[in-house]
């Protein structure tokens, strides 16, 4: 049937006028019918040949060979397909909890509606990446020589396979991403032509969208690739996407903040080190370590947050990973999502300006109350799911205690941590009065000199690509369908319950 739809445009062409039929020749209608049939059969035959060729092709725009990660993934997919079939066969008709009207009006908060394999967020325990907590990831995942934080490459391997990689596998992945890091010249020009007043996240999304030009999946789909093989070119696109993000981010940073010429990618260095170098901080070992930790803890936070869900939703329409992730970035750019770390730093800076450095607990407490009474929220506190201190906050706090224990802004963050939860509970403003990841990250970046707050969400975006990409690969491998939930109008809700009171 797919072959038929690809042939239909051929059938829509008008047949050229022919002379009246002679007794010795078939009629023009007969000729048209014969021509159409021949065209159909030829096109179908050519389509099948093309499809066969694509089935055996290695889909990659920049990779020189089949990566170890892709080979391992190809071994895991058949077993996972059977596992999903078994789960659906055994549990597919079972109820998974009631849906409340309040959940429909409340942003689907807590509504079980998605499959997301990379991570699960427990309200009390916090995030687990493929079953591993952040401290477990810090302990078990391979690190760079002389480093103490896990490498992002290792975390991506874990998200994709559920396995802790070897140091050699991580090194190979670092080299693969470095080889793919260059961006097309037209994308460079696109970024360079953006006015510096255009928000870095807008530029970031624009550049990622433009990478669709070279999408392996888009090309393979246009040529009739089998559904069973979607994951191959999607994998290549996801690898290219992650690899190119530091180059895009570095170019935006240098253009907007005037830092000078963009340095080259070093194929002997890891992902976070190259990113740090592109931003101008590669010589600072502690900053490189921070980037390794930052990318890991921001990489994934189950599938219900705006950026993750948007990437999955758009991908379900078989938009390629570049288009899918660009959409995710647009969601991440919102002040209630990725922009929150910037909002925290602004709030902290205003507090210091008003009550001074080394302010008393009472002065800090009064400022928090003034914030709430003015109709604003305390940024960095509360979470849609968590009901305890965010483990990502804790990981950053431990990093700060190790590397910048005497920094005045870090001390203020700790002081606020001891005050804000009590105020929020007293005010009845939050089910979870504890800090989230955004309460800390901006302070760390500022300490090392990256004080351009509008750029912080770009770093968040680089990190979040890891979780979104891993899920896109598995969605295509498992044949996840187009997402199409049911919606209701307010009038329909009233009607449903009209006779049930």
């Amino acid at each position: 049937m797919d072959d038929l739809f690809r042939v239909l445009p051929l059938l829509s062409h008008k047949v050229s006028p022919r002379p009246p039929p002679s007794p010795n020749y078939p009629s023009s209608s007969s000729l048209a019918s014969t021509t159409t049939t021949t065209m159909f059969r030829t096109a179908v035959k050519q389509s099948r040949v093309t499809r066969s060729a694509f089935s055996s092709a290695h889909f990659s725009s920049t990779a020189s060979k089949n990566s170890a990660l892709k080979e391992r993934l190809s071994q895991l997919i058949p077993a996972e397909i059977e596992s999903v079939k078994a789960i659906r066969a055994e549990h597919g008709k079972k109820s998974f909890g009631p849906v409340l009207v309040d959940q429909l009006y409340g942003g689907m908060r807590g509504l079980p509606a998605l499959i997301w394999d990379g991570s699960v967020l427990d309200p009390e325990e916090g995030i687990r990446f493929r079953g591993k907590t952040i401290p477990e990831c810090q302990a078990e995942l391979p690190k760079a020589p002389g480093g103490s934080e896990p490498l992002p490459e290792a975390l991506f391997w874990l998200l994709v396979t559920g396995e802790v990689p070897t140091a050699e596998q991580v090194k190979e992945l670092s080299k693969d991403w470095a080889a793919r890091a260059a961006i097309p010249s037209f994308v460079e020009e696109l970024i360079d032509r953006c006015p510096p007043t255009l928000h870095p996240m807008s530029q970031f999304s624009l550049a990622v969208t433009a990478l669709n030009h070279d999408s392996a999946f888009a090309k393979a789909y246009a040529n009739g690739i089998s559904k069973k093989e979607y994951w191959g070119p999607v994998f290549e696109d996801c690898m290219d996407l992650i690899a190119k993000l530091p180059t895009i981010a570095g170019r935006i940073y240098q253009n907007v903040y005037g830092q000078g010429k963009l340095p080259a990618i070093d194929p002997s260095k890891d992902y976070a080190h190259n990113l740090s170098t592109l931003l101008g901080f590669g010589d600072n070992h502690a900053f490189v370590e921070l980037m390794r930790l930052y990318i890991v803890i921001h990489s994934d936070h189950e599938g219900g947050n705006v950026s993750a869900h948007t990437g999955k939703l758009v991908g379900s329409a078989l938009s390629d990973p570049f288009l899918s992730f660009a959409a995710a970035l647009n969601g991440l750019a919102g002040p209630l999502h990725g922009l929150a770390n910037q909002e925290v730093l602004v709030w902290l800076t205003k507090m210091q300006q008003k009550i001074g450095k080394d302010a008393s607990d009472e002065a800090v407490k009064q400022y928090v109350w003034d914030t709430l009474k003015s109709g604003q929220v305390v940024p960095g506190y509360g979470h849609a799911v968590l009901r305890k201190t965010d483990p990502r906050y804790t990981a950053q706090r431990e990093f700060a205690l190790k590397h910048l224990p005497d920094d005045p802004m870090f001390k203020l963050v700790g002081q606020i941590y001891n005050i804000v939860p009590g105020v929020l509970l007293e005010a009845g403003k939050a089910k979870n009065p504890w800090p989230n990841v955004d309460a800390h990250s901006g302070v760390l970046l500022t300490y090392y000199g990256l004080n351009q707050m509008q750029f912080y969400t770009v770093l968040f975006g680089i990190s979040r690509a890891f979780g979104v990409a891993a899920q896109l690969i598995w969605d295509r491998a498992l044949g996840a369908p187009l997402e199409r939930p049911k919606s209701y109008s307010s009038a329909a809700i009233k009607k449903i319950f009209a006779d049930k009171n």
Side-chain angles (χ1 to χ4, degrees):
M1 185 59 71
D2 291 340
D3 296 318
L4 174 60
F5 287 125
R6 277 189 290 276
V7 172
L8 285 179
L10 298 173
L11 306 186
S12 65
H13 295 169
K14 293 182 179 180
V15 180
S16 301
R18 296 178 181 273
S22 69
N24 299 323
Y25 290 93
S27 66
S28 61
S29 60
S30 176
L31 280 171
S33 176
T34 302
T35 301
T36 297
T37 302
T38 302
M39 291 171 62
F40 178 86
R41 289 173 177 169
T42 301
V44 168
K45 182 178 180 181
Q46 290 174 344
S47 176
R48 286 171 179 163
V49 170
T50 303
R51 176 179 296 183
S52 176
F54 257 84
S55 297
S56 60
H58 172 57
F59 301 101
S60 175
S61 59
T62 50
S64 59
K65 62 184 181 65
N66 212 28
S67 71
L69 176 57
K70 189 173 185 181
E71 290 177 357
R72 181 61 184 139
L73 188 58
S74 67
Q75 295 166 359
L76 294 172
I77 286 173
E80 188 63 21
I81 290 175
E82 293 305 314
S83 176
V84 170
K85 287 180 180 178
I87 291 171
R88 295 189 67 175
E90 184 175 357
H91 306 295
K93 303 303 180 183
K94 297 178 182 177
S95 175
F96 202 62
V99 177
L100 304 178
V101 173
D102 276 348
Q103 289 179 300
L104 302 185
Y105 283 101
M108 299 187 289
R109 190 66 56 87
L111 185 68
L114 298 170
I115 292 295
W116 192 269
D117 293 308
S119 64
V120 174
L121 180 59
D122 182 85
E124 299 299 330
E125 185 181 55
I127 193 68
R128 280 183 177 268
F129 302 112
R130 288 286 188 167
K132 296 187 180 297
T133 65
I134 290 175
E136 288 172 342
C137 287
Q138 290 176 298
E140 298 178 28
L141 294 180
K143 303 169 181 62
S148 59
E149 299 296 343
L151 289 169
E153 293 91 329
L155 189 279
F156 185 67
W157 188 291
L158 176 67
L159 290 176
V160 171
T161 67
E163 303 168 345
V164 174
T166 65
E168 187 58 35
Q169 288 171 330
V170 170
K171 186 176 181 180
E172 190 267 348
L173 189 53
S174 295
K175 290 181 179 179
D176 193 354
W177 282 349
R180 298 170 182 258
I183 58 177
S185 57
F186 81 91
V187 177
E188 293 180 342
E189 183 179 354
L190 187 65
I191 297 171
D192 293 346
R193 291 178 67 86
C194 289
T197 52
L198 183 63
H199 197 286
M201 278 298 283
S202 299
Q203 299 187 42
F204 199 35
S205 173
L206 184 67
V208 170
T209 300
L211 291 177
N212 152 267
H213 180 273
D214 296 326
S215 166
F217 176 73
K219 291 180 174 64
Y221 185 83
N223 284 277
I225 185 174
S226 166
K227 288 182 179 180
K228 294 181 179 179
E229 297 174 15
Y230 282 173
W231 75 269
V234 166
F235 175 90
E236 296 299 339
D237 279 353
C238 287
M239 292 283 280
D240 280 347
L241 169 67
I242 292 174
K244 297 177 190 305
L245 292 182
T247 307
I248 293 172
R251 198 173 193 91
I252 293 171
Y253 186 78
Q254 305 295 358
N255 285 353
V256 174
Y257 303 111
Q259 301 298 314
K261 186 178 179 181
L262 199 69
I265 292 286
D266 186 342
S268 69
K269 299 297 184 181
D270 62 87
Y271 187 82
H273 196 291
N274 272 316
L275 171 61
S276 301
T277 300
L278 290 169
L279 299 177
F281 298 90
D283 294 332
N284 189 325
H285 174 73
F287 182 88
V288 174
E289 281 283 273
L290 174 61
M291 282 295 96
R292 291 166 180 155
L293 175 65
Y294 185 100
I295 293 173
V296 166
I297 65 176
H298 286 80
S299 63
D300 207 28
H301 216 230
E302 74 171 25
N305 64 77
V306 171
S307 55
H309 185 200
T310 302
K312 181 179 175 68
L313 172 65
V314 177
S316 79
L318 297 187
S319 296
D320 65 67
F322 303 110
L323 298 180
S324 301
F325 188 63
L329 287 174
N330 291 335
L332 188 66
L336 295 183
H337 193 12
L339 203 65
N341 54 7
Q342 175 181 328
E343 299 294 314
V344 169
L345 199 55
V346 169
W347 184 71
L348 291 175
T349 303
K350 288 181 178 179
M351 179 189 295
Q352 278 194 333
Q353 291 172 348
K354 183 171 183 178
I355 66 178
K357 297 181 179 179
D358 300 319
S360 66
D361 287 353
E362 191 58 37
V364 172
K365 185 175 182 180
Q366 186 57 51
Y367 189 87
V368 174
W369 274 111
D370 290 344
T371 298
L372 295 174
K373 290 176 181 178
S374 68
Q376 303 176 58
V377 300
V378 177
Y381 278 75
H383 192 274
V385 178
L386 282 170
R387 295 297 175 262
K388 61 170 285 185
T389 298
D390 192 335
R392 300 173 299 174
Y393 173 94
T394 303
Q396 292 181 104
R397 177 171 175 77
E398 291 173 351
F399 181 93
L401 287 169
K402 179 180 178 180
H403 294 280
L404 49 139
D406 299 321
D407 177 61
M409 192 68 84
F410 167 60
K411 288 184 176 180
L412 177 59
V413 169
Q415 187 179 15
I416 290 171
Y417 176 68
N418 293 325
I419 294 171
V420 168
V423 173
L424 292 178
L425 286 173
E426 184 180 345
K429 292 292 185 180
K431 293 180 180 178
N432 169 28
W434 307 106
N436 58 51
V437 67
D438 299 311
H440 218 308
S441 56
V443 170
L444 296 177
L445 295 170
T446 300
Y447 175 81
Y448 289 106
L450 206 165
N451 52 18
Q452 296 87 359
M453 291 183 291
Q454 284 195 325
F455 193 78
Y456 291 172
T457 316
V458 173
L459 296 179
F460 199 158
I462 294 173
S463 309
R464 188 48 53 90
F466 284 56
V468 172
Q471 189 61 44
L472 284 174
I473 293 168
W474 274 109
D475 279 354
R476 301 291 77 79
L478 298 176
L482 175 72
E483 287 187 16
R484 180 56 173 89
K486 173 64 177 170
S487 63
Y488 291 88
S489 67
S490 294
I493 294 292
K494 291 180 181 179
K495 184 177 180 180
I496 289 172
F497 293 98
D499 300 325
K500 297 182 180 180
N501 295 329

